[in-house]
């Protein structure tokens, strides 16, 4: 499996917030010919408000020349992965992790904002150099 360039930055960012990485990657099979590999399976073991919460995180770098193409690919994966999670692990919530620079430069545009609202995307923004999670956007 090819890992996203910022895979370990997001992983360390989650660990700094006391999330436990339970799967890397989280492998799911809806059918024998439809395997899915989501970047991380994560569980919060500590913290008053999130104890026992399970999430899955799909990590994207948005480093290609076209942010719109990156967004199309990320959105398609996100929707497919969420569908599989709802069938196989409905207790786990899917997040799309994106670098803060992509969020600030692209995700405020009308189409991404409308897509986020329409498809109820849950986002995590991260700073790859400092390996920190900056925002959880529900």
């Amino acid at each position: 499996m090819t890992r996203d360039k910022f895979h370990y930055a997001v992983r360390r960012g989650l660990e700094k917030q006391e999330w436990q990485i339970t799967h890397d990657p989280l492998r799911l099979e809806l059918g024998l010919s439809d395997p899915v590999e989501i970047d991380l399976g994560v569980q919060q073991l500590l913290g008053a408000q999130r104890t026992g919460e399970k999430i899955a995180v799909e990590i994207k770098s948005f480093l290609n020349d076209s942010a719109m193409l990156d967004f199309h690919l990320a959105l398609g994966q996100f929707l497919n992965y969420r569908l599989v999670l709802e069938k196989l692990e409905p207790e786990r919530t899917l997040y799309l992790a994106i670098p803060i620079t992509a969020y600030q430069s692209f995700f405020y545009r009308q189409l991404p904002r409308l897509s986020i609202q329409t498809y109820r995307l849950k986002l995590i923004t991260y700073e790859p150099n400092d390996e920190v999670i900056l925002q959880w956007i529900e």
Side-chain angles (χ1 to χ4, degrees):
M1 173 182 186
T2 303
R3 297 201 188 281
D4 185 89
K5 179 175 181 174
F6 299 136
H7 180 92
Y8 290 105
V10 173
R11 180 181 172 130
R12 283 190 280 277
L14 290 166
E15 290 169 335
K16 287 177 183 177
Q17 291 191 350
E18 299 185 355
W19 288 90
Q20 180 184 23
I21 307 302
T22 58
H23 302 81
D24 187 4
L26 174 61
R27 291 187 172 95
L28 302 170
E29 278 192 23
L30 190 57
L32 291 177
S33 58
D34 295 319
V36 169
E37 288 190 352
I38 302 171
D39 288 317
L40 295 173
V42 187
Q43 184 170 4
Q44 180 75 298
L45 299 177
L46 303 173
Q49 293 183 345
R50 292 187 167 176
T51 301
E53 184 177 358
K54 290 182 173 182
I55 63 173
V57 180
E58 180 61 22
I59 302 163
K60 294 297 176 199
S61 297
F62 282 81
L63 295 175
N64 291 315
D65 291 338
S66 171
M68 187 61 76
L69 177 60
D70 283 343
F71 181 68
H72 287 307
L73 295 172
L75 179 61
Q77 277 187 313
F78 183 93
L79 294 175
N80 287 335
Y81 292 173
R82 186 169 64 191
L83 181 64
V84 172
L85 277 176
E86 287 172 357
K87 293 288 182 192
L88 301 178
E89 291 198 32
E91 73 282 1
R92 197 178 292 273
T93 303
L94 181 62
Y95 285 85
L96 178 64
I98 56 173
I100 189 66
T101 53
Y103 183 72
Q104 292 172 335
S105 65
F106 178 76
F107 279 77
Y108 282 102
R109 292 167 54 175
Q110 192 170 0
L111 181 60
R113 289 179 58 186
L114 184 59
S115 295
I116 291 167
Q117 181 181 13
T118 300
Y119 299 115
R120 299 171 287 112
L121 301 184
K122 296 182 182 295
L123 303 176
I124 296 172
T125 64
Y126 63 91
E127 205 301 299
N129 294 325
D130 295 335
E131 301 178 340
V132 294
I133 303 300
L134 299 174
Q135 295 174 286
W136 295 79
I137 302 169
E138 300 289 328

